Amino acid sequence: VLGSGVAGMTATLRMLDAGARVVLMDKEKRLGGNSAKASSGINSCCPEHSRSEKNAEDTVQSFASDTARSAKREESGLINLLASNSAAAISWLRSRTSIDLSKVAQLGGHSYARTHRPANGMIGAELVFALQKEVKKFEKSGQLKLLLGCRATSLLQDDAGTVIGVAYKSEDGTPSELRVPDTVLATGGFANDRTNTSLLLKHRPDLSTFPTTNGEWATGDGMKMAMAIGAGTIDMDRVQVHPTGFVDPKDPTNPTKVLCGEMMRGVGGLLMTPDGRRFVNELAPRDKVVDGELQTKAAEFAIVLNQKAGEEAGKHVELYTRKGLLTKLAGTAELSNWFIDNIVPNGSSLSALSIEAQLNLTLAAYTTAAEAGSDEFGKRFFHNLPIEMHGSFYVGRIVPVLHYTMGGITMDQNGVVLRTDGSVIWGLHAAGEVTGGVHGN
């Protein structure tokens, strides 16, 4: 198994449980990959433990329809597979590991609450910890071998074209080969591929200047190795720009940003321009929110949560505040001064008084819209109201960021990698972001 994010570790654990001997390889020196950065949760319909009045009417068909609508395509086999297997996936995680998935929220693009997360912690870090704890239990017996700091360089094939292992460089740079009957690619995407073979520059050069939430390892290695032996690809130009990456005031020009998870908007976080206006339905699909941001022409935005929203966000707000990415303020007067000091462009004619007045209007209009059941941007779900103008607020600097590559190598419904002509590449399988065909647009 190449890649040790949640997809790679899940594949590894499933095979270990079935009695297989597994080698888990990662070019990084620790397990987790980009999965460790995830924060908002896992979508699923509909595990019994999370049924409530918020999702009592939810169905697998509704989940598939929401996914297809966001993907802007028909409910394909892979979309239906995702939706129909989602409850079993959550049930397996809860029964096979120590992960807590007791909190459920309704996030962007979803008709019901179906995004599961831990009550006290970030989903990514908690999942990586829980999975690696179980995976490593097989190491002492020799059933599992971990090769960390080892970079796969190519896929090995026999004369018939079957994949029979990988060539790789060990931590000290020594070339080696590992021959196995089956290889699983779980190497992730290319949302931080700035290499001289950059898939990002090839397929989306217009996005090359955007910052990213991905680690420096997200360079599409698995896709490139698979393509080199004839694997097909799909939707390679579909690179997701996430609307909310934190700007760290201590390092504002760093091209790698900390993700401000979707959950922060799910609990009631509002997005605002430097003059204190809302401009979008915060719970619209991510591409719609990003379109709204780009249309404003603003360089940065604010995410604003009231005290109630901050309390529901819990550990997320605690962590972001501790990192200096969120600031707690009292009332719209202090909030307006923060806008002036942090996101209002130099030379602007805006004043703290004018922004405070606009903030009061914006928040009052939002409360009125919530009472009416919808707002001018089509928002229909409102949380943690009312907003008190003199109450506490949490605020942070936000920019759109590269987050996920929707496309990837082609596979069938069993995770078997396919060639460009649709035929099977025997011995090669794939899971996670390295694959394409589910998420579409």
Side-chain angles (χ1 to χ4, degrees):
V1 178
L2 300 178
S4 68
V6 167
M9 282 199 285
T10 298
T12 297
L13 186 54
R14 296 282 284 183
M15 290 188 287
L16 290 168
D17 283 345
R21 293 173 60 236
V22 182
V23 177
L24 178 59
M25 183 186 297
D26 199 298
K27 65 183 179 183
E28 297 300 305
K29 295 181 181 179
R30 62 180 180 182
L31 303 175
N34 281 329
S35 296
K37 296 167 171 270
S39 60
S40 291
I42 302 177
N43 302 317
S44 175
C45 175
C46 302
E48 286 304 316
H49 85 278
S50 61
R51 280 289 194 187
S52 71
E53 61 181 19
K54 294 189 294 184
N55 59 16
E57 303 299 319
D58 197 10
T59 64
V60 170
Q61 178 60 48
S62 177
F63 185 12
S65 295
D66 285 347
T67 305
R69 184 168 56 254
S70 292
K72 299 176 185 173
R73 60 178 44 165
E74 297 299 315
E75 292 173 32
S76 71
L78 290 177
I79 287 176
N80 287 326
L81 187 70
L82 170 75
S84 62
N85 281 0
S86 63
I90 293 289
S91 297
W92 179 81
L93 283 170
R94 293 179 72 232
S95 64
R96 185 61 184 83
T97 76
S98 59
I99 187 72
D100 163 38
L101 296 172
S102 57
K103 299 283 281 186
V104 185
Q106 180 175 349
L107 301 188
H110 293 278
S111 300
Y112 297 95
R114 57 171 79 106
T115 305
H116 297 68
R117 73 178 192 275
N120 292 296
M122 302 288 200
I123 181 65
E126 295 293 317
L127 254 186
V128 166
F129 175 80
L131 284 168
Q132 71 177 353
K133 178 182 175 182
E134 298 303 321
V135 165
K136 286 182 175 180
K137 289 179 180 178
F138 292 86
E139 196 173 11
K140 187 176 181 180
S141 69
Q143 192 179 344
L144 169 74
K145 183 176 182 180
L146 286 176
L147 291 179
L148 300 181
C150 298
R151 179 188 290 271
T153 55
S154 64
L155 296 167
L156 305 176
Q157 293 178 283
D158 65 14
D159 292 340
T162 298
V163 172
I164 56 173
V166 295
Y168 70 96
K169 289 184 178 180
S170 59
E171 190 173 351
D172 63 4
T174 303
S176 300
E177 290 186 353
L178 177 64
R179 293 180 179 265
V180 292
D182 286 282
T183 299
V184 179
L185 292 176
T187 48
F190 56 87
N192 202 359
D193 189 2
R194 321 287 184 177
T195 66
N196 58 5
T197 58
S198 174
L199 293 172
L200 183 63
L201 285 173
K202 178 180 179 180
H203 295 285
R204 290 303 301 270
D206 56 310
L207 299 180
S208 62
T209 59
F210 277 66
T212 180
T213 61
N214 285 208
E216 60 185 11
W217 52 81
T219 51
D221 298 2
M223 294 182 193
K224 294 172 186 177
M225 287 189 292
M227 291 160 62
I229 65 166
T233 60
I234 185 173
D235 298 332
M236 293 294 279
D237 61 334
R238 304 300 192 233
V239 177
Q240 183 188 96
V241 183
H242 195 289
T244 54
F246 277 117
V247 176
D248 187 344
K250 301 184 294 295
D251 192 11
T253 61
N254 192 321
T256 301
K257 307 297 187 189
V258 173
L259 177 68
C260 175
E262 191 127 359
M263 188 276 301
M264 296 285 282
R265 285 174 282 131
V267 298
L270 304 179
L271 298 181
M272 296 187 187
T273 54
D275 62 353
R277 300 175 190 269
R278 287 180 62 238
F279 55 90
V280 74
N281 170 9
E282 290 85 359
L283 296 183
R286 293 174 184 176
D287 59 330
K288 301 298 184 186
V289 180
V290 171
D291 286 346
E293 288 175 324
L294 298 179
Q295 288 174 18
T296 71
K297 306 298 184 184
E300 290 187 18
F301 305 88
I303 186 166
V304 179
L305 290 80
N306 67 353
Q307 182 68 29
K308 288 183 179 180
E311 289 172 356
E312 184 176 343
K315 290 288 185 180
H316 291 71
V317 164
E318 290 179 23
L319 175 65
Y320 296 147
T321 302
R322 189 165 64 248
K323 286 178 172 285
L325 302 173
L326 283 179
T327 301
K328 188 174 184 180
L329 301 169
T332 53
E334 286 191 8
L335 191 58
S336 64
N337 283 314
W338 181 93
F339 272 60
I340 289 290
D341 294 338
N342 288 274
I343 64 171
V344 171
N346 291 332
S348 170
S349 61
L350 290 169
S351 67
L353 283 176
S354 68
I355 294 174
E356 181 183 3
Q358 182 57 57
L359 284 170
N360 288 334
L361 288 173
T362 298
L363 297 176
Y366 184 75
T367 299
T368 299
E371 292 170 350
S374 65
D375 71 2
E376 61 187 300
F377 307 110
K379 191 170 190 175
R380 297 185 295 112
F381 302 103
F382 302 85
H383 304 285
N384 291 306
L385 295 170
I387 298 175
E388 303 292 340
M389 307 301 177
H390 300 291
S392 295
F393 293 95
Y394 294 92
V395 62
R397 295 166 64 179
I398 293 297
V399 291
V401 284
L402 302 181
H403 185 55
Y404 191 91
T405 47
M406 318 297 273
I409 56 177
T410 52
M411 64 172 181
D412 68 12
Q413 291 192 37
N414 294 311
V416 176
V417 176
L418 304 176
R419 291 188 174 87
T420 53
D421 63 5
S423 62
V424 167
I425 300 180
W426 296 111
L428 186 61
H429 316 264
E433 191 179 357
V434 72
T435 67
V438 179
H439 298 293
N441 288 278

